[in-house]
Amino acid sequence: MDAQGHGRANDVDPADQWVLNPATGEYELRLAPAAPQSPVPGPRRAAPVRNGAPGGRTTAPVAPGRDVPPPRRRRDAPEEPLPGRRGRRPVKKKSNAKKALLWTGGTMAFVLVAGATTGWFYLKHLEGNVGTTDVGDAAASSFSKDEAFNILVIGTDKRTGEGNDGYGDKGSVGHADTNILLHVAKDRSNATALSIPRDLIVDIPDCSTKQEDGSEAVVAGQDGVRFNRSLGERGRDAGCTMRTVEAATGIKPDHFVMADFNAVKTLTSAVDGVEVCVEKAVDDKQSKLRLPAGTSKVAGEQALAFVRTRHAFGNSGDLDRIKVQQQFLGSLMRKMTSGDTLTSPTKLLKLAEAATEALTVDKAIGNVGTLKDIALELKKVPTKNISFMTVPVKDNPAETVKATVVVDEAQAPAIFEAIKNDVSFTEVKTEQKKEKAEIAARLKGTKSAASDVRVSILNGGAPAGSAQQQLAYLQTEAGVTKSDNAGNAEAPLARTTLEYDPDQADQARRLADIMGLSGAALKPGKSVTNAQGLPAMTLTLGKDFKGAGVKLNAATTAPANVAGRSTADKVQCAS
């Protein structure tokens, strides 16, 4: 029986159900006629051609590795292509395999399966495995393939499943034990995985949570408490953790993915183990982790012990454990993007089953279409451009016995700003660097006098009244007298933009200088006609608007030499 309680006819291995579609020349996942149907009905379609047989017929199942005989045909019928061997691995281009992006926890597995198969039925089955939580407006209402996005990955200390008695607090409601904010760049050239320590002191805001009966309840916030209490305690859900991340960093997560202890055990077992490296032999009696010096392969219980031990490395603290977890995730990514995983239907399907059964996500990404869209976007990011880092922190000055940490205000803001402004921490391709240079060049050149700037202001997501307040500032303080309030924009924007005709470039540069706009905020386009019938630029105040007269000054370069930063393609040893 699988996770949904449906038995498979004759226990046929899903890997033996890959067949060649003669119409496309590609391998597809086709279930045998005796296999159970999905509990989620699919759309009615015209009968497809399957294995060369019209009307939805399929060839009878055969033993793995044996040739599938061609269907009978009339002597005068044209010869049809052979359907190939069941169980044979689908052909996959090397370039696509190298580009696959896999991130932490169960999401990695779905990325691979969604990108590597065309089995709609099986994807619907995987969707049935995934649990969802309605976190309201804490999460985005949809996923956009054309924008940068942030996904909060949460590993809880909640005990579920057999064999987890030795981990975490026995009665834990599931705190935010491991937390990684994954930012994926708009151009998909890079990604940043920012670890948030569970012992970081934060202010947890009030948060609205959905109850089982459909009603809503507001959980009161708390100031000066550990970050891990943002989940589970007092009924807080993942939406509360998302709001806490935004309050602490200024970065708003768009979606969340949550998994418990089982994810590490089942995922590593599904890929036949992950290689880890330690500088010294480990014999930790508390976690039961025993490893020789050098490289070892861990899976199941040993893998979980490796990422949870706090006494085998460094100073036995949570920050050292985070470094080990980042090294482990990098190794897991490399294993999942290796040829023996990507080209093995058996491993891919085991991985997908294990991953989706361990996952809970927000409702907006809990459907198969959206998950597949995310998978295809994630595939575009090279692992060498995935940066791992941790929120810069320092010991809590309020404690005599140091047990918690606080944000290092001297270093953290620059990292937060770089992520918010979609700035890469790694070198990107030459074409992408050229594009960034062209964007930066928009700010270079002559600037008109402020009195010559003509601009219409729209409110596109800023607080109510912002357009009028900015208008008053521009006219009375900045000398931009030829400006007017054009009301509200048709759709909200995350960032403030200035659209202008190329002939207005000198005016755009002057307004950018006044407001601290980046080159990316300047959008060459068309002018509008203002109240006086003259061409004017359009300034749309986005959600990033900080107030009238306050410069935006978006970061354009990431801080150099971030302590502890690593990338997913490098092999590292825990010490």
Side-chain angles (χ1 to χ4, degrees):
M1 300 291 283
D2 64 15
Q4 300 303 302
H6 304 295
R8 289 192 178 92
N10 301 322
D11 292 328
V12 177
D13 189 333
D16 295 324
Q17 296 173 304
W18 287 92
V19 295
L20 182 68
N21 184 339
T24 64
E26 297 181 354
Y27 282 84
E28 297 181 357
L29 182 66
R30 301 286 175 81
L31 300 184
Q37 296 302 306
S38 169
V40 182
R44 289 184 174 273
R45 298 175 295 178
V49 176
R50 295 181 176 175
N51 296 342
R57 297 194 306 272
T58 57
T59 56
V62 297
R66 295 183 58 186
D67 290 337
V68 179
R72 294 183 178 181
R73 59 186 177 86
R74 300 190 312 272
R75 290 184 179 181
D76 57 345
E79 186 170 345
E80 299 174 346
L82 295 177
R85 296 176 182 266
R86 289 185 184 270
R88 177 175 290 178
R89 299 181 302 194
V91 177
K92 192 156 178 68
K93 295 181 180 180
K94 292 182 179 180
S95 59
N96 289 340
K98 290 180 180 179
K99 291 180 180 178
L101 166 66
L102 305 164
W103 32 295
T104 140
T107 51
M108 301 177 188
F110 189 86
V111 167
L112 282 170
V113 173
T117 76
T118 55
W120 179 90
F121 179 93
Y122 192 70
L123 291 180
K124 292 298 291 183
H125 163 72
L126 293 180
E127 180 180 312
N129 286 354
V130 180
T132 61
T133 298
D134 186 353
V135 295
D137 61 4
S141 59
S142 61
F143 172 74
S144 173
K145 294 188 288 185
D146 301 320
E147 297 294 334
F149 60 91
N150 302 313
I151 296 183
L152 179 62
V153 183
I154 307 170
T156 78
D157 59 1
K158 186 175 183 178
R159 294 183 182 183
T160 60
E162 185 178 351
N164 286 329
D165 292 339
Y167 303 105
D169 298 328
K170 188 171 184 179
S172 176
V173 291
H175 297 101
D177 192 56
T178 298
N179 311 279
I180 298 177
L181 180 62
L182 177 73
H183 170 79
V184 180
K186 181 177 180 178
D187 63 5
R188 310 302 186 238
S189 66
N190 67 92
T192 302
L194 180 69
S195 291
I196 303 173
R198 70 176 192 178
D199 294 329
L200 178 67
I201 295 299
V202 295
D203 294 338
I204 301 175
D206 296 346
C207 59
S208 177
T209 60
K210 293 288 181 72
Q211 306 301 300
E212 291 184 2
D213 61 2
S215 63
E216 292 190 10
V218 176
V219 182
Q222 288 178 282
D223 293 342
V225 296
R226 280 180 167 88
F227 181 89
N228 68 340
R229 296 174 65 179
S230 64
L231 179 70
E233 192 168 299
R234 302 186 181 186
R236 294 187 177 108
D237 60 16
C240 300
T241 309
M242 296 172 75
R243 296 181 195 276
T244 303
V245 169
E246 183 177 11
T249 67
I251 306 168
K252 181 176 174 58
D254 299 304
H255 305 285
F256 83 87
V257 172
M258 184 165 60
D260 59 23
F261 291 147
N262 284 321
V264 174
K265 295 197 295 185
T266 55
L267 285 172
T268 52
S269 297
V271 294
D272 297 332
V274 173
E275 284 193 353
V276 297
C277 180
V278 295
E279 291 186 358
K280 299 178 182 179
V282 175
D283 186 0
D284 182 4
K285 293 180 175 56
Q286 292 192 5
S287 68
K288 299 178 182 178
L289 178 65
R290 294 181 177 84
L291 294 175
T295 301
S296 301
K297 181 184 288 188
V298 295
E301 293 288 344
Q302 277 285 84
L304 181 56
F306 183 81
V307 298
R308 284 195 54 79
T309 181
R310 297 183 63 164
H311 304 283
F313 309 111
N315 297 319
S316 302
D318 188 52
L319 295 179
D320 291 303
R321 186 179 69 158
I322 286 174
K323 294 178 183 178
V324 172
Q325 290 171 345
Q326 291 173 345
Q327 294 167 11
F328 175 84
L329 290 172
S331 181
L332 182 58
M333 289 179 185
R334 292 191 296 274
K335 180 62 180 286
M336 288 181 170
T337 55
S338 65
D340 63 338
T341 298
L342 285 171
T343 57
S344 170
T346 301
K347 286 185 180 180
L348 284 175
L349 297 180
K350 285 181 179 179
L351 195 55
E353 290 286 350
T356 53
E357 287 172 10
L359 287 183
T360 300
V361 302
D362 58 279
K363 291 189 70 174
I365 63 171
N367 64 80
V368 67
T370 304
L371 288 173
K372 188 172 183 180
D373 285 344
I374 293 175
L376 295 175
E377 294 305 305
L378 291 170
K379 281 180 62 179
K380 299 175 183 178
V381 185
T383 54
K384 68 177 182 178
N385 287 338
I386 306 173
S387 294
F388 287 112
M389 61 186 69
T390 304
V391 172
V393 296
K394 58 185 180 182
D395 289 336
N396 186 351
E399 295 176 335
T400 302
V401 178
K402 304 302 181 185
T404 62
V405 293
V406 296
V407 170
D408 185 344
E409 295 294 344
Q411 300 182 46
I415 291 177
F416 297 158
E417 283 298 309
I419 294 174
K420 283 172 60 178
N421 292 299
D422 203 22
V423 178
S424 176
F425 287 85
T426 58
E427 288 292 332
V428 294
K429 291 182 179 179
T430 304
E431 312 89 76
Q432 293 157 340
K433 286 167 52 175
K434 180 180 178 181
E435 181 181 358
K436 289 180 182 293
E438 290 175 352
I439 290 174
R442 295 171 188 169
L443 297 173
K444 298 177 181 179
T446 59
K447 301 180 182 70
S448 68
S451 58
D452 292 331
V453 173
R454 293 189 298 272
V455 60
S456 292
I457 307 172
L458 292 171
N459 190 330
S466 293
Q468 186 60 36
Q469 292 166 13
Q470 181 66 11
L471 174 65
Y473 167 78
L474 290 177
Q475 290 184 338
T476 61
E477 302 290 333
V480 183
T481 55
K482 298 174 183 176
S483 50
D484 62 87
N485 183 350
N488 293 325
E490 293 182 0
L493 297 179
R495 296 179 184 175
T496 297
T497 63
L498 178 62
E499 184 175 1
Y500 59 96
D501 184 274
D503 291 340
Q504 299 168 317
D506 56 345
Q507 296 182 43
R509 286 190 285 267
R510 173 56 65 191
L511 191 58
D513 184 58
I514 292 171
M515 294 187 60
L517 298 176
S518 69
L522 273 57
K523 307 291 184 183
K526 295 181 179 179
S527 61
V528 295
T529 302
N530 65 10
Q532 289 73 42
L534 298 173
M537 302 181 294
T538 301
L539 173 66
T540 305
L541 306 179
K543 295 178 181 179
D544 63 339
F545 182 68
K546 301 178 181 179
V550 181
K551 289 194 175 187
L552 291 168
N553 285 341
T556 56
T557 58
N561 303 319
V562 176
R565 188 180 75 84
S566 61
T567 53
D569 63 322
K570 297 293 192 299
V571 177
Q572 297 189 36
C573 292
S575 59

